[in-house]
Each structure stands twice: as C-alpha cells, then as structure tokens.
C-alpha cells in the first residue's frame, strides 16, 4: 500500500513578526489544506524553511502537525540532513511522534558519492520502521541519486519505498522506472512536470503549488489516475504560468508572498531569504488571478 496517492503539500512554516513559528496559523492552514482535498502533508521540507529551523523548532513543528492533523491525512516528516547522525536523530524522533513516513533529502554541500548515498540512506532506514521517500533535488543539493542507486536502495532496503524526483530529467526518471520494474513509489517534485511523471507510473506530486491551489493540484493528479488524461493535462498547462511565478525567485520566497496575498498572515522569511522583489510580486499576483485564485 502506497504512502499516498494524489497531491501532498510541501507546506510553508508561518512565522510571527518576531520570527517565531506561528502555530495557530499553521493549524488554520493545515485545516484549509485538508478541507480542499490535499492528500498528504509534508512538514519541514525546503518550502517549510527547515534549513533555518533549530532542531527543537523542527521537531516541535513535526509533533504539532501530527497532533493537529490527527490521522485525517498522512503526515510525512522532512528529516533529512547532510549529517547522517542528525538525520537519524530527527527521523527517530519523528517516528516517536507518530509520523506516517519520512522525506529524506540527499546530503547537501558535503554531498556524497553514490556509494556514500547508499550508506547514508541505509543507515537512516535501519534506525526506523517508517517508510522513507528519498528526495532527489540536485539543483539545490549538488547531489544526484542515479537511477541505479535508487533502484539498489529500493530493492535492498525494505522501508525505502519511494522517491520525490525533482531532477527535472525525465529520461533519468524513465530509466529508474525501468530498473525498478515500476516497483517504486514515484512522486514528482516539480509542479511543472506532474503529468509527465504520472505518465511514467508516478503516484502524485509533493507540491509547492498546493499551498495556494490545493484543490486544483489534487484534481490534476486524480483526473490522470482515474483516466481523464485530457482533464489532467488541461490543469497542468493552465498552471504553468503560476508555477513559473512561484519559482521566479528561490523557493519559498514566492509562495510565502503568495500566502500573504491570500490573507494567511504567513509572516516573514528567515534570513538569508529576503522579501520578494516588487516586480516579481506583481507577476505572481497576475498569475494567481489568471489561474482563478482570488487575491485579497
């Protein structure tokens, strides 16, 4: 049984003006996501500004989310690190809190060889009983999980079951699906490649777009899985200008701005991220309106 099918939101972390996590606002956002058919919650991913959370904040955000969601949809905890021991610590704590699965990004900055990736993921997987989704995003980490490596891990480590593919390399994804005979839970990590990934056997997307368009992102996936490929493709193509605007500056700068435009009081970003440039904000606002999102 797969961890989820459909659209999981890579959810933002709302902050108060003093920089502390705004837990009441996070609760409101979680409830709204679930009400609008989001299929799973990913907490403390890149979009959640995990890299600037302390370990204590990181774990408290995970604990709070699991407790508040209360089993309504799966909660996937982002517990990756470029330090294997840190990733093990975060992962074991998330398991204690009741996470449904873990999202583990590749080591960043120090990176790793393919042998090192196998050792890193195996060590983390052996420390927990939870299913693990590997997160491949070489544009941010400088580290690419090759198809042969991902296939080896899925075939040899029982609780490494999936991959969030954000390499942007569709040929690489196709090779992975061939090497695993499709026996891997494949999720798109790029909102502009949801339909192409689904066509290769993907189960859904872990999405930035879902923060501002949860129902449409869910529908994009479910229409495809239910056989309405044309309907799914229509949503994908219509969403492209908005997806482009959501990534015209480094994520999560634009999506945080978008959530504030929607009245969510998502608060500021933590440095070194800074507020969105005015001309980019206007582009984002227009794209949201064109996609049918009511901006306050």
């Amino acid at each position: 049984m797969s961890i989820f099918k459909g659209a999981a939101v890579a959810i933002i972390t709302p902050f108060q003006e003093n920089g502390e996590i705004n837990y009441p606002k996070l609760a409101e956002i979680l409830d709204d996501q679930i009400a609008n058919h989001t299929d799973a919650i990913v907490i403390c991913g890149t979009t959640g500004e995990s890299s600037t959370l302390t370990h204590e904040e990181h774990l408290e955000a995970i604990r709070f989310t699991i407790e508040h969601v209360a089993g309504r949809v799966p909660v996937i905890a982002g517990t990756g690190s470029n330090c294997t021991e840190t990733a093990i610590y975060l992962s074991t704590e998330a398991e204690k809190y009741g996470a449904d699965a873990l999202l583990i990004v590749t080591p960043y900055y120090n990176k790793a060889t393919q042998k090192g990736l196998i050792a890193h993921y195996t060590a983390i997987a052996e420390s927990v009983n939870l299913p693990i989704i590997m997160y491949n995003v070489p544009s941010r980490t400088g580290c690419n999980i090759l198809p042969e490596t991902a296939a080896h891990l899925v075939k040899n480590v029982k609780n490494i079951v999936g991959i969030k593919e954000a390499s942007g390399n569709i040929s690489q994804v196709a090779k992975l699906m061939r090497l695993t005979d499709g026996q891997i839970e494949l999720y798109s990590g790029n909102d502009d490649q949801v339909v192409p990934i689904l066509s290769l056997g993907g189960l859904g997307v872990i999405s930035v777009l879902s923060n501002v368009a949860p129902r449409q992102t869910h529908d994009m996936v479910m229409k495809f899985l239910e056989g309405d490929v044309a309907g799914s493709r229509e949503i994908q193509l219509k969403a492209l200008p908005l997806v482009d605007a959501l990534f015209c500056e480094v994520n999560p700068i634009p999506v945080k701005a978008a959530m504030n435009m929607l009245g969510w009081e998502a608060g500021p970003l933590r440095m070194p991220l800074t507020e969105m440039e005015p001309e980019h904000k206007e582009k984002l606002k227009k794209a949201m309106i064109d996609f049918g999102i009511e901006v306050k």
Side-chain angles (χ1 to χ4, degrees):
M1 181 176 171
S2 57
I3 297 167
F4 76 95
K5 290 183 180 180
V9 60
I11 205 158
I12 64 156
T13 300
F15 294 126
Q16 301 175 35
E17 288 305 316
N18 64 5
E20 295 179 2
I21 296 176
N22 188 337
Y23 285 105
K25 190 59 60 177
L26 177 57
E28 290 179 28
I29 294 170
L30 290 167
D31 288 341
D32 184 75
Q33 286 287 322
I34 295 169
N36 281 286
H37 297 186
T38 284
D39 300 286
I41 305 292
V42 174
I43 185 70
C44 293
T46 306
T47 310
E49 299 180 67
S50 58
S51 58
T52 53
L53 299 178
T54 66
H55 288 167
E56 291 77 15
E57 289 174 320
H58 192 135
L59 291 172
E60 179 58 19
I62 292 171
R63 187 204 61 76
F64 176 89
T65 298
I66 293 166
E67 185 175 289
H68 187 79
V69 170
R72 288 176 286 171
V73 297
V75 174
I76 302 164
T79 54
S81 173
N82 63 340
C83 170
T84 305
E85 288 303 317
T86 299
I88 288 172
Y89 166 65
L90 295 173
S91 298
T92 54
E93 291 299 302
E95 182 173 38
K96 292 176 188 175
Y97 300 152
D100 295 287
L102 305 174
L103 180 68
I104 308 289
V105 71
T106 53
Y108 39 87
Y109 186 69
N110 52 358
K111 305 190 286 188
T113 62
Q114 298 301 303
K115 177 182 177 182
L117 288 174
I118 290 171
H120 176 76
Y121 277 108
T122 301
I124 298 167
E126 289 177 346
S127 73
V128 294
N129 293 309
L130 294 176
I132 289 173
I133 301 171
M134 300 173 285
Y135 180 15
N136 192 34
V137 58
S139 65
R140 292 193 77 121
T141 65
C143 188
N144 183 29
I145 308 176
L146 293 178
E148 294 83 357
T149 301
H152 173 88
L153 285 163
V154 169
K155 290 177 179 179
N156 291 280
V157 185
K158 66 178 182 179
N159 56 329
I160 295 181
V161 300
I163 190 165
K164 176 185 177 183
E165 246 299 338
S167 67
N169 186 337
I170 294 297
S171 296
Q172 175 169 301
V173 178
K175 185 176 183 181
L176 170 61
M177 296 305 277
R178 182 179 66 82
L179 292 176
T180 59
D181 299 318
Q183 300 304 304
I184 184 172
E185 296 178 23
L186 172 65
Y187 300 101
S188 177
N190 292 330
D191 285 311
D192 61 351
Q193 294 185 337
V194 179
V195 170
I197 292 287
L198 291 172
S199 74
L200 291 171
L203 300 178
V205 59
I206 296 175
S207 172
V208 175
L209 176 65
S210 282
N211 281 278
V212 297
R215 190 177 296 265
Q216 296 96 319
T217 312
H218 163 86
D219 287 349
M220 187 196 318
V221 177
M222 298 315 295
K223 281 179 181 292
F224 189 101
L225 295 180
E226 292 166 1
D228 183 6
V229 175
S232 174
R233 182 174 61 240
E234 181 181 359
I235 299 172
Q236 174 78 92
L237 295 177
K238 184 180 179 182
L240 290 180
L242 177 53
V243 173
D244 181 58
L246 284 170
F247 289 90
C248 68
E249 291 187 27
V250 67
N251 180 50
I253 291 173
V255 72
K256 205 91 182 267
M259 292 293 279
N260 281 322
M261 287 182 204
L262 293 175
W264 280 112
E265 300 175 18
L269 298 136
R270 284 190 175 176
M271 288 181 66
L273 300 184
T274 52
E275 295 303 313
M276 198 174 189
E277 296 296 333
E279 63 271 25
H280 292 157
K281 191 174 286 187
E282 285 304 309
K283 173 184 176 181
L284 174 60
K285 183 177 181 179
K286 181 180 185 303
M288 292 167 69
I289 292 169
D290 290 347
F291 192 63
I293 298 172
E294 185 177 342
V295 178
K296 295 182 180 180

